[in-house]
Amino acid sequence: MSKSVSAVPKRRIRPGRLVLEIGMVLLSLLFLYPLILTVINSFKSFAEVMSDVIALPQSFSFANYAYVWKAVNYPRLFLNNTIVTGIGLAGIILFSSIAAYKMSRSRSRMSGVLYMLCIIPMLIPFQSIMLTVLQMAKALHLSESTWGLGILYWGFGAPLAIFIYHGFVKSIPREIDESATIDGASGFRLFFSVIFPLLKSVTTTIIIIDVMWIWNDFLLPLLMVNGSPATKTLTLAAYTFVGQYTSDWQYAMTAMVMAVMPSILVFILLQKYIVRGVVAGAVKG
């Protein structure tokens, strides 16, 4: 028995793999360091933050969190974020999935041109068009409202969603459409009853990506809803503690932690679907 155990070869760790793993750990810590620093300083007083940003707090007190909760009316801002994110996700998923399905199933040259026009906006920086978007939003009465902000995310989130959906739909056999059509399903019934349930994996991926983006977005809410306290989002709440002459950094960092924590929890719970959905949408077909 001892001979058989000793005969089992020990697994050797390759030097190259070990160096790669150490490098990945160090790189992860580098990216996590700003978040860790923000969390640490959210427990400090103003004097502690100004004296030493890197040091640990003298005592872990939740007084900053209690103050920020009341000062920014956190439940109301959380509701605003939920409304904006919900409206944005609903429109992106609905319109992008339908558009990607129709363009993927069509073999005309016009369909290919439309597909390229739909995904090209991913290459355009938002800063180059933000003033135009602001003017259009005001003309359409979409500014200074949470529902209007959610609708604006439809256009900005659709290109990536169409790209992912389009690639995945190609992997779905056309025979499924033909069988459903023979059984009497056509049009929207065919899509929502047969095709859309098959898009579950990529839909989950799009939900995770867009929740992280819409929930934590700062620039578009700053342009669209910053004028009214009733329509502000959580990320804008942190900005209110930073002024021209004085800044309450401890409250700003606390507000930022409270703003991003819900999206981080969603990411942690559902992160396993991201790579699976992106690979399925970008490679298949």
Side-chain angles (χ1 to χ4, degrees):
M1 183 70 181
S2 58
K3 292 183 179 180
S4 61
V5 173
S6 60
V8 177
K10 295 182 179 180
R11 183 180 178 183
R12 296 181 179 180
I13 301 177
R14 297 180 180 179
R17 182 179 179 85
L18 180 61
V19 172
L20 179 61
E21 292 181 354
I22 295 176
M24 293 299 294
V25 171
L26 294 177
L27 187 61
S28 301
L29 293 176
L30 179 63
F31 279 97
L32 288 174
Y33 180 72
L35 178 61
I36 296 173
L37 200 62
T38 302
V39 173
I40 290 175
N41 284 275
S42 68
F43 291 99
K44 295 181 181 180
S45 63
F46 179 78
E48 288 182 90
V49 174
M50 298 305 295
S51 61
D52 193 349
V53 178
I54 303 178
L56 293 174
Q58 296 179 358
S59 62
F60 286 89
S61 174
F62 289 91
N64 292 343
Y65 287 88
Y67 176 83
V68 171
W69 180 281
K70 295 180 180 179
V72 303
N73 193 3
Y74 185 86
R76 175 58 185 271
L77 299 188
F78 186 90
L79 178 62
N80 290 345
N81 267 58
T82 303
I83 293 174
V84 172
T85 305
I87 293 176
L89 282 176
I92 292 172
I93 293 173
L94 177 63
F95 297 119
S96 299
S97 59
I98 295 176
Y101 169 71
K102 295 300 292 184
M103 288 186 290
S104 177
R105 286 296 190 252
S106 177
R107 298 180 179 179
S108 64
R109 182 175 298 179
M110 180 59 67
S111 176
V113 173
L114 290 175
Y115 173 67
M116 292 303 299
L117 291 176
C118 287
I119 65 174
I120 280 177
M122 289 192 296
L123 306 177
I124 302 176
F126 173 73
Q127 291 79 2
S128 63
I129 60 173
M130 63 181 182
L131 296 180
T132 304
V133 172
L134 178 59
Q135 295 299 323
M136 291 183 62
K138 288 182 178 180
L140 297 174
H141 304 286
L142 297 178
S143 60
E144 299 300 333
S145 66
T146 52
W147 63 269
L149 179 59
I151 291 176
L152 289 175
Y153 281 111
W154 295 356
F156 295 111
L160 178 60
I162 289 176
F163 174 75
I164 296 176
Y165 274 128
H166 189 273
F168 188 81
V169 171
K170 287 183 178 180
S171 67
I172 301 177
R174 293 177 179 269
E175 289 76 11
I176 294 179
D177 301 42
E178 297 172 357
S179 300
T181 302
I182 294 175
D183 292 337
S186 61
F188 287 104
R189 183 182 177 185
L190 168 62
F191 177 76
F192 287 107
S193 299
V194 180
I195 302 300
F196 190 74
L198 300 177
L199 305 177
K200 180 180 178 181
S201 60
V202 291
T203 299
T204 305
T205 300
I206 292 171
I207 289 175
I208 298 171
I209 294 174
D210 287 340
V211 164
M212 296 292 295
W213 163 50
I214 298 175
W215 188 277
N216 297 320
D217 190 25
F218 176 78
L219 186 54
L220 189 58
L222 178 66
L223 295 173
M224 300 301 168
V225 299
N226 193 37
S228 175
T231 58
K232 284 187 175 181
T233 60
L234 288 171
T235 50
L236 293 179
Y239 182 69
T240 59
F241 294 105
V242 180
Q244 181 177 1
Y245 300 104
T246 180
S247 299
D248 296 320
W249 294 111
Q250 76 281 15
Y251 296 140
M253 294 183 183
T254 302
M256 186 56 63
V257 172
M258 296 173 66
V260 302
M261 194 55 64
S263 62
I264 292 178
L265 293 177
V266 172
F267 178 82
I268 292 174
L269 293 175
L270 302 178
Q271 56 87 23
K272 64 180 180 180
Y273 297 101
I274 292 181
V275 176
R276 183 189 310 173
V278 170
V279 171
V283 176
K284 286 187 177 181

